[in-house]
Amino acid sequence: MTAPVYLDYAATTPVDARIVDALPGWLAADGAFANPSSTHIAGRQAAALVATAAEQVASVLGCEPGQLVWTSGATESDNLAILGAARYRAVRGRHVVTMPTEHKAVTDAFRQLEREGFDVTWLAPSPDGRLSLEALRQALRDDTQLVSIMHVNNETGVVQDIPGIASCCRDRGVLLHVDAAQSFGKLPIDVAAWPVDLLSITAHKIYGPKGIGALYVSGRPGSHIAPLFHGGGQQGGLRPGTLPAPLIAAFGLAAAIAADSMHRDHDHLSRLRKRFRDAIRDIPGLRHNSPDAGFPGIVNVSAGDVDGESLMLALEPLCVASGSACNSARHEPSGVLRALGLDDAEAQGAIRFSFGRQTTDREIDFAAARYRAALAKLREIAPGDAA
Amino acid sequence: MTAPVYLDYAATTPVDARIVDALPGWLAADGAFANPSSTHIAGRQAAALVATAAEQVASVLGCEPGQLVWTSGATESDNLAILGAARYRAVRGRHVVTMPTEHKAVTDAFRQLEREGFDVTWLAPSPDGRLSLEALRQALRDDTQLVSIMHVNNETGVVQDIPGIASCCRDRGVLLHVDAAQSFGKLPIDVAAWPVDLLSITAHKIYGPKGIGALYVSGRPGSHIAPLFHGGGQQGGLRPGTLPAPLIAAFGLAAAIAADSMHRDHDHLSRLRKRFRDAIRDIPGLRHNSPDAGFPGIVNVSAGDVDGESLMLALEPLCVASGSACNSARHEPSGVLRALGLDDAEAQGAIRFSFGRQTTDREIDFAAARYRAALAKLREIAPGDAA
Amino acid sequence: MVTDPYSAEVRRLFAAPAHAGTLPGAETVRAVAQGVDVELSLARDGDRVSALRFRARGCPHFLAAAEALCAGYEGRPVAELRAFRAAELVERLPVPIDKTGRILVLEDAVRSLGA
Amino acid sequence: MVTDPYSAEVRRLFAAPAHAGTLPGAETVRAVAQGVDVELSLARDGDRVSALRFRARGCPHFLAAAEALCAGYEGRPVAELRAFRAAELVERLPVPIDKTGRILVLEDAVRSLGA
Ligand SMILES: Cc1ncc(COP(=O)(O)O)c(C=O)c1O
Ligand SMILES: Cc1ncc(COP(=O)(O)O)c(C=O)c1O
Ligand code: FES
Ligand code: FES
């Protein structure tokens, strides 16, 4: 196999070298490997690791360490927030609101709520992919309990107006959950200033390990949620299980590094995006699915006249996504892109290029050239238009 | 702080040095860090890691790799099995069976089922801590759907007769879940030979990382379970979320190492147990809570005439558990020990010493001496018997 | 989770589709179904296939199958081409079970050549 | 999750309870409540505390408080000992809020000395 060129940072990222270097000190026999719930010396060392990490993550969100619940990742955080809040508040009302352009972890949680008898309003995006505050305001009812809207879309990079959405929700006494898996550590977030109640994050999108995430829970009156599972009483019973202190410490360090390099990263990604867009600008027949105002690390483009799977193969050794990563193993055209108005052909021919801290100009140039060549090749062998 | 002497291997273990060494190759930028659901080259490298790990874990259980569902640990596995099976089968009947001596992850899941209207039978252990097959047979009813019994008890080391229990259940068409968190990789398990339907395991008890576990699901007709949460369709929808391939690879390697050294480990632990027991044999007023036939890595002893918390402090720098780890942060006497017939005073004065692969004779001797001295000191300053 | 879905053979055929193209003035058929689209042109030399070319849009297995078909029948009797069965390519490449319907589209196109 | 629940002061007092013991023939009281058990013996020299000893069973904060009490009042007027308030030790050691009830058991014992 040729050495892969990885442009799929929106799916997952490699672990930062500084974290890899620190891990033995957290995992190994002479590290802080103990159970942080144990009262003995080794347990307290592990607890200290967790406390530091909680401060690091909290300071990136603008919250208190005690407002974080550690989970296995954003999928679990999304479900804990959505199922947990809706089920807890079901006695007050059973209307909940989201968008079809959310991540599967959110849309599938809402489909579960539908099966449980909740009434879900699916708000369509404006043509730019954003939720209009007017549409949201109209959707809120007296029995609305929960709204869930993502910050940055994982397929297109569209950024929602979370502060605006949050005010809308707070005005009406509705809980707001935000899936910030793609924005945490990359765009400023301030849950102290934005009236958000629940917010999901995950380490593996910011050069931390896979398998650890968190849910911010404001804890203000009325924001309580039901746990997904039960056990040893850890984390106030909201999310039990032996705390994986080394993973949490890694998440904390990843958050601290992300905060420190947020502006640098953003500039880097903006420059890469411009370079890539410039390089593919003259390719005919492309539809650009990522708005200029979107997160610069994601460029989604589609060609409706080529087969998506063949395009992926022709792009090798480029590692990019067709549809979202979780969809790529199946073969459905992305529901998110369909909701943005693409037809099936355009959606299945979409490629998401996503860049990261390690991405170089050379890789961008290689990707653009490869994309150009792959499209040319597939178009060349395709039959003419008259079918 | 004095360097801790760690005898709390039943709570959690340090990560094996071979795994620590392998992690950079799985986590770092030039490692197999990608999302194993991605179809591109990097994704397929990660998928290959997961496939190898699944084979390693499966071969220790005697099952097929495809019968494993990756979770965040045994707490989640226990809940997925218990809540998932009971909810899925609720239409057929709502009677379920377990024991009060199970881990909190099991008992709290059953308490949740009680809240959901299930009828739970709590079977008391025999004086030796084991479940009598006769008692189990009598408890099974026509509407019984699920039995959950642990293999090795985390507080005392009592080993249940899983093959016998499994036959009982299978005869009556009842699903059996086994919490094997404390036995996986330490005692032989053979799910192909024992008719077990669901079995929970976790990596961090066998020198793998915290934050990764698995549930074995036999998949035979009638053994289906409902997921706890919903999302990108990974693992057949049973447990979604980006698969943490590096943690899974670490779990696989930990399982392979455990299988390889199972007999050696068992002999080592048996020798340590004998040495420790011999060294404390003449201390007066002790109650031995771990049976001879139990798992040799756990020795639970109690002194009813000393305060448990003061005993823990007097034992420093020994790291041991009072009650189970998850209980130690709270201050309730262990429910497991109470169920075995200890009174409150004996239960709160219990100490669990648990040994591991790295435990040395010196540490055993140090522990025994420290325990003797701590008891002597606390007893000396205690008031006389006549209150 | 995915292992490599493409055999070395599929990769080879996909990477170098030497028989992609159209034969000007030759007999040409087109089949569009199941999300794939294929055009075959056949040039004969008596009852032999002197040249066989394809144009196609579809997944890698489909493109590889079209290439394999053209490469495999050039120089052979037209009657043998007519007897082409999708099953033979499905097995040889191989093509995953859920895609065999697409290879049948190729079989249909062959069948309608000179029909 | 736990940070060290014991201050350096509690650790010091717990590790070396110099005033643990009984004074033979001295005035002795015992209090048992809230899961703790304490015995105090007081020897006087006029209206001074010439010696104060304890025996106790309880958590580290309780043992430390008993030691601190005895160490703190030796040589002082009995009247001051009588005025002992649990609050002073709760603050000084310090003792976590959920355990202050136990220190009150100590206060009760002192109160009943020579009562
Ligand atoms: C927007 C969004 N939400 C949720 C998730 C799920 O996160 P995780 O893989 O940590 O479960 C992802 C990424 O996979 C994502 O991009
Ligand atoms: C018997 C038993 N079951 C379940 C668990 C929970 O495992 P985990 O910490 O992986 O959630 C443990 C250990 O904590 C255990 O000993
Ligand atoms: S496109 Fe060929 S199977 Fe998915
Ligand atoms: S025993 Fe003193 S508080 Fe737990």
Side-chain angles (χ1 to χ4, degrees), chain B residues 157-336:
Chain B
V158 164
V159 182
Q160 301 291 351
D161 171 17
I162 299 301
I165 291 167
S167 304
C168 251
C169 291
R170 188 60 62 93
D171 288 349
R172 294 290 300 266
V174 173
L175 285 194
L176 174 65
H177 167 252
V178 173
D179 177 344
Q182 291 288 346
S183 62
F184 175 71
K186 299 176 184 169
L187 296 181
I189 295 179
D190 187 350
V191 291
W194 310 349
V196 169
D197 299 289
L198 301 158
L199 184 136
S200 298
I201 59 180
T202 190
H204 75 92
K205 310 277 187 190
I206 57 159
Y207 311 92
K210 277 165 276 299
I212 184 72
L215 178 66
Y216 156 79
V217 183
S218 73
R220 73 180 178 93
S223 72
H224 290 296
I225 59 179
L228 293 172
F229 52 90
H230 309 269
Q234 294 94 343
Q235 309 201 82
L238 205 47
R239 208 298 194 166
T242 304
L243 279 177
L247 295 182
I248 293 170
F251 191 7
L253 182 48
I257 293 171
D260 182 61
S261 63
M262 193 183 293
H263 292 292
R264 224 162 31 247
D265 287 349
H266 198 273
D267 289 350
H268 178 60
L269 296 176
S270 302
R271 228 180 34 73
L272 295 174
R273 173 172 70 174
K274 178 167 188 321
R275 189 180 183 95
F276 185 67
R277 282 183 172 172
D278 286 350
I280 63 169
R281 192 175 306 282
D282 64 330
I283 299 179
L286 290 190
R287 173 169 175 146
H288 288 266
N289 304 314
S290 296
D292 290 345
F295 173 68
I298 295 179
V299 174
N300 191 309
V301 252
S302 48
D305 58 347
V306 297
D307 178 85
E309 190 191 345
S310 284
L311 182 54
M312 284 285 286
L313 180 57
L315 287 172
E316 279 190 8
L318 257 195
C319 298
V320 292
S322 69
S324 89
C326 350
N327 295 341
S328 341
R330 303 185 254 152
H331 297 284
E332 309 153 7
S334 152
V336 170

Side-chain angles (χ1 to χ4, degrees), chain B residues 110-155:
Chain B
F110 276 89
R111 275 185 230 294
Q112 172 63 22
L113 288 179
E114 282 179 336
R115 281 189 291 272
E116 294 177 18
F118 288 82
D119 180 9
V120 178
T121 295
W122 298 90
L123 290 176
S126 309
D128 67 355
R130 310 230 306 171
L131 175 61
S132 94
L133 296 187
E134 199 33 48
L136 174 61
R137 249 179 237 112
Q138 280 172 19
L140 297 182
R141 312 189 316 212
D142 287 345
D143 63 339
T144 309
Q145 299 305 319
L146 176 74
V147 170
S148 183
I149 302 294
M150 74 206 308
H151 192 190
V152 168
N153 185 279
N154 53 301
E155 295 196 42

Side-chain angles (χ1 to χ4, degrees), chain A residues 307-310 328-332 348, chain C residues 6 36 58-62 96 98-99 102:
Chain A
D307 178 85
E309 190 191 346
S310 285
S328 342
R330 302 186 255 153
H331 297 285
E332 308 155 7
Q348 68 80 35
Chain C
Y6 312 114
V36 293
C59 71
H61 290 100
F62 186 67
D98 55 318
K99 290 187 181 182
R102 300 180 177 182

Side-chain angles (χ1 to χ4, degrees), chain B residues 1 304-307 309-311 313-314 316 329 331 377-387, chain D residues 1-2 6 11 14-17 20 30 32 37-39 54-61 63 99:
Chain B
M1 270 196 235
D305 58 347
V306 297
D307 178 85
E309 190 191 345
S310 284
L311 182 54
L313 180 57
E316 279 190 8
H331 297 284
K377 173 188 161 168
L378 294 176
R379 284 172 170 171
E380 192 192 316
I381 66 171
D385 262 348
Chain D
M1 270 188 344
V2 279
Y6 312 115
R11 287 180 168 276
F14 177 86
R30 180 139 178 205
V32 182
D37 183 352
V38 63
E39 178 191 276
F54 76 97
R55 285 181 175 283
R57 182 184 295 120
C59 71
H61 289 102
L63 299 182
K99 290 187 180 181

